[in-house]
Structure formats: C-alpha cells, structure tokens
Amino acid sequence: MGLSTSTTHRLARTLTGAGFLEQEARTGRYRLGPSITDLGQLSFHRRGLHRIAPELAELARITSATVDLAVRNDRHAVILSGGSLNPDSGVGLRRPLHSTALGKVLLAWDPEGCVDLEALGPLRALTGRTIVDHAELRAELARVRESGYALNDEESGDGIRTVAVPVLDRQNHVRYALAVRSTPLVISDTRIGWFVTHARACARALEVLLIPPAERRLRSPV
C-alpha cells in the first residue's frame, strides 16, 4: 500500500485492539481476528445464506456433482457456499471470471447491462481451452445469455466440466451464480441439458430464499 513501517504498525495495532487482527505470541505474525468472523456471519445471515444449505445439498445429491453458489467481486467469482470450499484453508473461495462457468454467468447477466471486459485485464490461460481473447469472450457471453446457461469445458482445469445458471431478480439482473461441477464423463454432451434443468429448478428455489419478495421475478400463472 506504500505506507511506512511505522504507519503500518500503528494501523495493525489499532486493528488488533478492535479485534479485526490478532497477533501470535510466538511468531509475532498477524492473522484475521474474531471481529472479522462476526462481520462475516452477519453478512451471511443477512443475505439469507444460512437457509440454502438443504437446496444445495439436494442438488448435489440428485446430480452426484459438486454444487457452488457465488457472487461477483471485481475480477473474481467468490464462492459463498458449496462443496468446492476448503473449510480449513479457504482454498476455492475466489475463481477467475473469464475461465469459469460461474464467472461467465455473472458477466453475461451483469446488472449494468454493458460489462467492460477490458477492465478484466489480460485473460490468463489456465489450460489450453481457456478463452484469452476479449472479443472471443464477448461472443461466448452472448451465447451464454441466449442459451440461459454457461459451460466451462476444461477451461479452468483439465478433467473439469461445469454448468452454471443465474439466480435472477425481477430486473433480470444476476444476484448469484449457481454451478454444478464434475467431469466431462459425468456431464457428457448428451446429459448437459439434464444438469441444466436441475440447476435451474434449484436456482428458482434460491430466488425465493435469497431475494426479497418485491425484487423477485414474477411467477407465470398456472
């Protein structure tokens, strides 16, 4: 951050006093403190995320796949709940937008309606299938919007195939992205539609659990 050592030390001590950091007595190193946990739990419950575990678990059971729910944070999809998270290390929390099905959904239904792909910066190749050209990514997002779901076909890791769908509000803006992840053998070309159908059903249930009534999509009359 370009701060001097003395200023950084004062800030660290202030954050420690407020509980946002804590210092290990043996090493003197800092780590996140209990106040961060309080804020995280508050946000988690205010979003209603404590209510969705049964829906995600049921989708995982039906599909025998890993299920994740994410939101956008700058250039990443941040997983809020799901089977990809490592509860001990936090590994799996942040995923690139351009190379994941979650990210493509969050970009394709961007609330602003005109996402600036150049703002993502250089698109890093994670595999030989990763889209690294902004124009190609824009065309991919148009296909995602038209089909109603996104596909990550070994673009973020070899042997990984993921389908994702949006959790939309009444303005047709994406609030969350819901993904089902497995292998190309499980999510085969002939079964993609089956996985998408079940993911969409779960996404509609999540709309009820996570989006305030006045902001939810209107249901079609029976």
Side-chain angles (χ1 to χ4, degrees), residues 32-90:
L32 296 179
S35 293
I36 293 292
T37 302
D38 291 341
L39 288 176
Q41 288 295 324
L42 180 62
S43 175
F44 193 84
H45 281 77
R46 282 188 172 177
R47 284 179 176 270
L49 293 167
H50 60 292
R51 298 193 294 263
I52 69 171
E55 297 293 342
L56 300 188
E58 178 64 7
L59 181 59
R61 185 193 67 79
I62 292 172
T63 60
S64 297
T66 300
V67 174
D68 292 309
L69 186 76
V71 294
R72 181 179 178 179
N73 184 1
D74 194 22
R75 301 179 185 181
H76 294 87
V78 177
I79 297 178
L80 301 175
S81 184
S84 291
L85 292 178
N86 184 320
D88 297 321
S89 66

Side-chain angles (χ1 to χ4, degrees), residues 16-37:
T16 300
F20 292 104
L21 293 177
E22 59 185 16
Q23 191 174 21
E24 295 182 1
R26 184 175 62 84
T27 65
R29 298 174 68 89
Y30 290 93
R31 63 190 177 193
L32 296 179
S35 293
I36 293 292
T37 302

Side-chain angles (χ1 to χ4, degrees), residues 66-180:
T66 300
V67 174
D68 292 309
L69 186 76
V71 294
R72 181 179 178 179
N73 184 1
D74 194 22
R75 301 179 185 181
H76 294 87
V78 177
I79 297 178
L80 301 175
S81 184
S84 291
L85 292 178
N86 184 320
D88 297 321
S89 66
V91 171
L93 181 64
R94 297 168 66 84
R95 301 291 176 84
L97 291 173
H98 72 285
S99 62
T100 60
L102 287 168
K104 291 177 185 178
V105 162
L106 294 169
L107 290 171
W109 282 272
D110 177 75
E112 300 301 323
C114 186
V115 63
D116 181 11
L117 297 182
E118 300 297 331
L120 299 179
L123 306 180
R124 186 166 69 93
L126 301 179
T127 73
R129 292 174 174 261
T130 307
I131 296 175
V132 295
D133 178 76
H134 290 89
E136 185 179 350
L137 179 59
R138 189 173 299 281
E140 171 71 2
L141 295 181
R143 287 192 292 270
V144 169
R145 187 73 182 247
E146 182 178 0
S147 64
Y149 72 92
L151 177 67
N152 165 11
D153 194 6
E154 299 188 88
E155 297 165 50
S156 59
D158 294 328
I160 297 174
R161 179 178 270 188
T162 307
V163 294
V165 298
V167 178
L168 299 169
D169 62 19
R170 186 170 297 190
Q171 302 301 317
N172 216 34
H173 296 159
V174 64
R175 294 291 186 92
Y176 304 88
L178 176 68
V180 179

